Amino acid sequence: GLLLAVSSWTVSPSHPTSWEWIHHSYYHWATFQDLTPNVGLYWYFFAQIFSRFRTYFLVTFNVLPFLLVAPILIRLKEIPVAAIVSLVSLFNILAPYPTFGSVTFSFLLMLSCPRSVVRLRFISMFCLIALPVPSVLLVAFWRLWAIKESGNGNYVYFQQLAYTVFAGLIALDFLSASVSRIKALKLTRKP
């Protein structure tokens, strides 16, 4: 936020008190006004709920990633890079408007912690190999539904759900591998 404020002041020093960029960037993202189908799960969920529950679920979905920050930072304080990678991965997966690129970027960041990547279990390899299936089917089903008007939105949602579950399992397994790395460090540390 501070970096954006400084950069907006640098670009337009004649309007140093203009804070419209907050409304255009964060407010739009937090209120989830655009229900256009994307890789995330929010659009389908908010299209299906009753309007009187919208505020409750907006608050719940926006607060959930921030509730994970303190426990992850406390648990992974010995490996700060793994903590940041885990948080970036979870924030990208739980974002209202995720993209294939943001989730892929999270997986590439995991390579910065090779000792945690080595401890990943078989489920991560299975999910990584299976991840292209919902990715390709998501594009195909969206084209059938939105362009040809012969598909069903539920098929698109199911592929997004499968994509999110696979990506989430990889992120959680990385978190678990980082915790087991800390346990191994404590066992091998000399008193």
Side-chain angles (χ1 to χ4, degrees):
L2 180 62
L3 181 63
L4 287 174
V6 170
S7 64
S8 70
W9 183 80
T10 307
V11 171
S12 118
S14 62
H15 296 78
T17 59
S18 176
W19 294 99
E20 291 181 18
W21 60 271
I22 292 176
H23 183 271
H24 294 296
S25 57
Y26 294 120
Y27 182 77
H28 174 73
W29 197 65
T31 57
F32 200 69
Q33 301 286 333
D34 184 19
L35 294 179
T36 305
N38 58 28
V39 181
L41 302 174
Y42 287 20
W43 71 269
Y44 187 84
F45 186 80
F46 282 104
Q48 299 296 327
I49 64 169
F50 294 113
S51 60
R52 66 177 178 242
F53 297 120
R54 182 175 176 81
T55 306
Y56 170 75
F57 284 109
L58 273 175
V59 170
T60 303
F61 286 176
N62 283 319
V63 168
L64 175 66
F66 294 103
L67 289 176
L68 301 173
V69 172
I72 289 175
L73 288 178
I74 290 170
R75 187 66 177 115
L76 297 178
K77 65 183 173 199
E78 288 89 2
I79 315 172
V81 174
I84 298 300
V85 169
S86 297
L87 287 173
V88 167
S89 299
L90 291 173
F91 269 76
N92 282 338
I93 292 168
L94 296 174
Y97 300 104
T99 61
F100 288 121
S102 62
V103 175
T104 305
F105 176 69
S106 300
F107 295 156
L108 290 175
L109 279 179
M110 290 178 189
L111 295 177
S112 65
C113 304
R115 290 190 178 110
S116 294
V117 171
V118 169
R119 287 180 169 80
L120 291 177
R121 296 175 297 186
F122 175 74
I123 189 72
S124 291
M125 190 59 65
F126 173 77
C127 290
L128 193 61
I129 292 170
L131 206 54
V133 174
S135 302
V136 169
L137 288 177
L138 172 65
V139 174
F141 286 151
W142 182 85
R143 187 171 189 279
L144 280 174
W145 176 51
I147 296 172
K148 300 229 182 211
E149 296 179 0
S150 62
N152 189 341
N154 293 329
Y155 298 145
V156 176
Y157 175 72
F158 177 73
Q159 297 310 317
Q160 292 165 336
L161 183 64
Y163 179 82
T164 303
V165 167
F166 288 151
L169 285 174
I170 294 170
L172 290 176
D173 196 29
F174 178 79
L175 185 62
S176 174
S178 298
V179 169
S180 70
R181 178 180 165 200
I182 290 173
K183 288 180 182 177
L185 284 172
K186 286 181 181 178
L187 287 175
T188 57
R189 192 176 295 149
K190 293 181 180 178

